[in-house]
Amino acid sequence: MTTISLVTGGSRGLGRNTALNIARKGGDVIVTYHSRAAEAEAVVAEIGKLGRKAAALQLDAGNAATFADFAARLKDTLGQAWGRDTFDHLVNNAGHGDMAPLAEMSEQAFDKLVDVHFKGVFFLTQKLLPLLADGGRIVNLSSGLTRVSAEGWSAYAAAKGAVEVLTVYMAKELGRRGITVNAVAPGAIETDFFGGAVRDTPDFNRLFAGMTALGRVGVPDDIGPMIASLLSEDNRWINAQRIEVSGGQGI
């Protein structure tokens, strides 16, 4: 049976790349977007050209009050497009970057990071559990910054660190349903994350490239295929792990 994967933040960057690679491996995909509807629909069209079925749904990953409505819309989409009431894979990818030294981080910025990267992951997963098929997969996106520190990223990294701990507890509690849960931690990647800083700022790019054993920063194609592979039956015994995909950053 064809799998259905839900990729949050799937209109661009790592989410888009992951969605396309899932489709290349024969899976159908539902992507979410916050405000970039046209970009999300472009991803749906690309997946269609690969011979797979896709849909796009709006989601504010930082607003837990909207998650019950999202779950209802997801259920309707599954029934109408696939004739199913469950999906197989959840990739909690949606996120944003914000940095400031500890002494300067505002409470508002801190709360937004926690709402999107930790609270959002926790409560969105909770709301979607009735729709997630037994034997399914959850992948939570973390960061290489939970292992290697960089000044100004304390709040972001702490939220991602919380996700890594949450991943272990999810795996423990959902194991009885045959659901595996893992965290994928990319290193510095050339996307539009944090205003495209790694991609578009040469000094920043060289800094992280110099910290990486393979001598360059990552690109989306270094991450998306790995996540798609992790969702497959080939990796069914990998569970409760933090898997860093950084080319050897900071070793």
Side-chain angles (χ1 to χ4, degrees), residues 61-64 67 92-96 110-126 140-142 155-170:
N63 186 354
F67 293 168
N92 283 308
N93 165 78
H96 70 290
F110 179 94
D111 286 346
K112 186 175 180 181
L113 285 167
V114 172
D115 284 347
V116 171
H117 293 279
F118 179 50
K119 182 178 178 180
V121 170
F122 189 108
F123 286 103
L124 180 64
T125 302
Q126 180 192 76
N140 298 322
L141 268 290
S142 181
Y156 173 83
K160 289 299 191 182
V163 166
E164 291 180 6
V165 174
L166 177 63
T167 295
V168 176
Y169 279 82
M170 283 183 173

Side-chain angles (χ1 to χ4, degrees), residues 21-110:
N21 276 285
I22 291 170
R24 290 182 184 117
K25 287 184 174 292
D28 292 345
V29 190
I30 300 171
V31 297
T32 78
Y33 64 93
H34 184 207
S35 59
R36 301 171 185 246
E39 292 184 18
E41 291 298 339
V43 175
V44 169
E46 287 185 72
I47 291 171
K49 291 177 182 177
L50 294 169
R52 303 312 315 166
K53 188 181 294 186
L57 295 174
Q58 196 279 333
L59 171 68
D60 182 350
N63 186 354
T66 67
F67 293 168
D69 174 70
F70 174 78
R73 289 186 286 116
L74 174 61
K75 184 176 181 179
D76 287 345
T77 298
L78 288 168
Q80 293 170 13
W82 282 274
R84 287 181 54 179
D85 57 9
T86 62
F87 68 103
D88 303 287
H89 308 143
L90 171 60
V91 181
N92 283 308
N93 165 78
H96 70 290
D98 201 345
M99 66 174 292
L102 184 67
E104 299 173 16
M105 173 63 68
S106 71
E107 185 175 356
Q108 181 181 16
F110 179 94

Side-chain angles (χ1 to χ4, degrees), residues 209-228:
M211 295 168 58
T212 304
L214 291 179
R216 63 170 176 84
V217 298
V219 295
D221 270 334
D222 294 321
I223 310 298
M226 179 272 165
I227 296 174

